[in-house]
Amino acid sequence: MIDRQTIEKILDAAQIVDVIQEFVPLKKRGANYLGLCPFHNEKTPSFTVSPSKEIFKCFGCGKVGNAVNFIMEHEHQTYPEALKYLAKKYHVEVIEKELTPEEIEKQNERESLLVLSAYASRQFTENLFTSDEGITVGLSYFKERGFRQNTLKKFEVGYSFEKRDAFTRKALDDGYKKDFLVKTGLSIEHEDHVFDRFSGRVMFPIHSLSGQVLGFGGRVLKTDAKTAKYVNSPESEIYHKSGILYGIFQAR
């Protein structure tokens, strides 16, 4: 089995335009690339590759995915085979080993934390652009600062409701475990209460080089000497402050 650290190195190294251009002629159209879909017959290009999102999508047949998914589909390879193909292309050493039950449990936990962080990012973005509170408080703040909506959406900026446990309750209702909410730092547990770490803040998700949401930074909007102006996610299994740079995914 390929260990998770090696998989992340492969995903960070792989550049989707570079990968797909080996098989499909692409032409640049604005921020994206366009070509004829290799998965169905077409005469008018509907196959789009987004280097910023690191995904491909065909608007004709509906195929969508990242560089690994493309190699799996196009070359009829399994997930491990596709990873090894990309590892060879980008000179990433593949480390395979039999995982212990403890390592498997840790890897599964890490995956769960990443899924929860991605969910949280989507919720905060939805709050900012579609809720009355988000638009009135969060979006107004960004407009006053001169941020355009396309910039906010590119960086997946969001808003956490002021109600102290709004996000925690929503996540629990949607089936996410309290243990993982606390481990990501999205929620804080104190005695018998669980509440939001980032309530009443505009939210800045922190991405890995491959685009996974690892943590968050939050800025409070109300003036209160007792409240920290900025709060970041605590160190966790997925977020290590010294090992990630905010904006590196977008810069890439």
Side-chain angles (χ1 to χ4, degrees):
M1 181 179 289
I2 303 175
D3 69 281
R4 186 66 213 178
Q5 187 175 5
T6 302
I7 292 174
E8 289 180 0
K9 286 182 180 178
I10 295 169
L11 294 176
D12 285 347
Q15 298 183 37
I16 193 162
V17 173
D18 185 34
V19 171
I20 292 178
Q21 275 186 328
E22 288 194 355
F23 307 94
V24 180
L26 297 173
K27 291 184 178 180
K28 199 171 191 313
R29 291 285 179 85
N32 299 324
Y33 289 78
L34 193 66
L36 293 172
C37 179
F39 303 119
H40 80 287
N41 292 324
E42 63 175 12
K43 295 181 179 179
T44 303
S46 62
F47 184 79
T48 301
V49 182
S50 170
S52 62
K53 295 180 180 179
E54 286 290 330
I55 62 169
F56 69 86
K57 179 175 177 62
C58 176
F59 291 92
C61 68
K63 294 277 189 185
V64 64
N66 61 13
V68 180
N69 302 135
F70 179 85
I71 295 300
M72 290 173 65
E73 287 280 349
H74 195 274
E75 298 299 289
H76 306 290
Q77 295 186 354
T78 64
Y79 182 65
E81 288 171 342
L83 285 172
K84 290 176 183 177
Y85 174 93
L86 293 172
K88 183 177 181 180
K89 176 177 174 62
Y90 291 99
H91 309 292
V92 177
E93 181 183 2
V94 174
I95 300 174
E96 293 187 85
K97 64 175 183 177
E98 191 68 33
L99 299 181
T100 66
E102 292 78 14
E103 288 173 324
I104 293 174
E105 182 179 353
K106 187 175 182 180
Q107 184 165 301
N108 289 339
E109 178 179 303
R110 178 182 173 81
E111 292 293 340
S112 296
L113 298 183
L114 288 170
V115 169
L116 175 55
S117 293
Y119 162 83
S121 183
R122 292 193 299 272
Q123 288 298 314
F124 295 142
T125 298
E126 184 177 321
N127 293 349
L128 180 68
F129 290 103
T130 66
S131 72
D132 290 340
E133 183 183 333
I135 293 169
T136 303
V137 181
L139 207 53
S140 294
Y141 165 78
F142 284 118
K143 286 181 179 178
E144 289 173 4
R145 291 300 182 98
F147 286 94
R148 296 189 300 272
Q149 282 206 18
N150 63 333
T151 301
L152 299 178
K153 289 179 178 180
K154 179 179 180 179
F155 285 84
E156 299 175 20
V157 175
Y159 176 75
S160 181
F161 291 133
E162 190 164 347
K163 186 179 179 183
R164 201 71 176 96
D165 61 351
F167 170 76
T168 299
R169 285 188 175 277
K170 178 74 168 69
L172 291 172
D173 288 344
D174 285 346
Y176 293 92
K177 295 181 179 179
K178 179 185 74 173
D179 185 38
F180 293 148
L181 284 164
V182 174
K183 286 183 177 180
T184 57
L186 287 161
S187 302
I188 297 173
E189 186 172 25
H190 180 67
E191 296 178 349
D192 295 330
H193 302 287
V194 184
F195 51 91
D196 301 349
R197 179 181 297 274
F198 297 103
S199 58
R201 296 175 182 270
V202 286
M203 300 295 294
F204 303 87
I206 302 167
H207 299 84
S208 69
L209 194 59
S210 59
Q212 293 176 307
V213 179
L214 306 179
F216 295 88
R219 185 197 192 282
V220 74
L221 298 182
K222 62 183 180 181
T223 304
D224 186 345
K226 296 180 181 179
T227 303
K229 189 174 183 180
Y230 295 98
V231 170
N232 292 323
S233 293
E235 293 278 319
S236 70
E237 180 62 32
I238 60 174
Y239 177 63
H240 304 286
K241 186 177 180 180
S242 62
I244 191 66
L245 177 65
Y246 178 75
I248 189 67
F249 171 63
Q250 289 83 1
R252 178 190 179 190

